[in-house]
Amino acid sequence: MFRTRRKTAKKAALMAVVLTLPCLAVGDVEAAPLRAGAAAENITADPPTQVVHDPLFAKALVLSDGDTQAAIVALDLGQASGPLVAGLRERIQKELGIPEANVLVGASHNHHTNGQVAKDVVERIVRAVRRAA
């Protein structure tokens, strides 16, 4: 067991060095200030047709350095289907100007939605990103 911990510590130290090297090689570069905004929207069906233990949320984090914007979206859903993600990226780019390639969408592993997702879930997710931006 001690060997495993030692190997893990060595890997972590190596990873820290590898991630730090590019920063050292750049020299005296002034980074633009990073702005961040976060928001959450309830995506639970209104009204739910079954008992819901906890509401479902779409959480958004939008980051900007003044030139580039990126959005990270976390959904309380069992999955984020390809069509859902594609539709979200397209709408976010069209409405907020955040490039589709800069929109990351993920879903928690949730078996307890029981179909209690709002019919206008896409609108609610986009609203969360809009508020975060």
Side-chain angles (χ1 to χ4, degrees):
M1 185 132 135
F2 182 71
R3 279 189 139 156
T4 304
R5 287 184 189 164
R6 185 179 294 165
K7 285 182 182 179
T8 302
K10 284 182 181 179
K11 287 180 184 177
L14 179 61
M15 184 63 78
V17 169
V18 169
L19 293 174
T20 306
L21 285 177
C23 299
L24 298 175
V26 173
D28 293 333
V29 174
E30 189 171 317
L34 184 64
R35 296 178 52 207
E41 283 287 329
N42 189 324
I43 58 171
T44 312
D46 212 12
T49 58
Q50 294 182 26
V51 175
V52 176
H53 186 274
D54 293 311
L56 305 172
F57 285 95
K59 293 159 266 194
L61 172 66
V62 175
L63 303 167
S64 174
D65 68 357
D67 293 324
T68 304
Q69 279 190 308
I72 301 171
V73 180
L75 305 173
D76 288 342
L77 300 175
Q79 68 174 349
S81 68
L84 174 66
V85 173
L88 284 172
R89 286 179 172 156
E90 185 178 326
R91 270 197 66 187
I92 290 168
Q93 179 170 342
K94 181 180 175 186
E95 295 180 26
L96 303 172
I98 301 172
E100 289 185 34
N102 295 1
V103 178
L104 174 67
V105 180
S108 60
H109 191 74
N110 184 343
H111 291 280
H112 304 290
T113 59
N114 294 326
Q116 300 306 302
V117 179
K119 287 183 171 67
D120 63 340
V121 66
V122 171
E123 179 56 42
R124 292 182 188 203
I125 296 167
V126 172
R127 187 180 324 143
V129 176
R130 187 180 306 116
R131 288 181 43 226

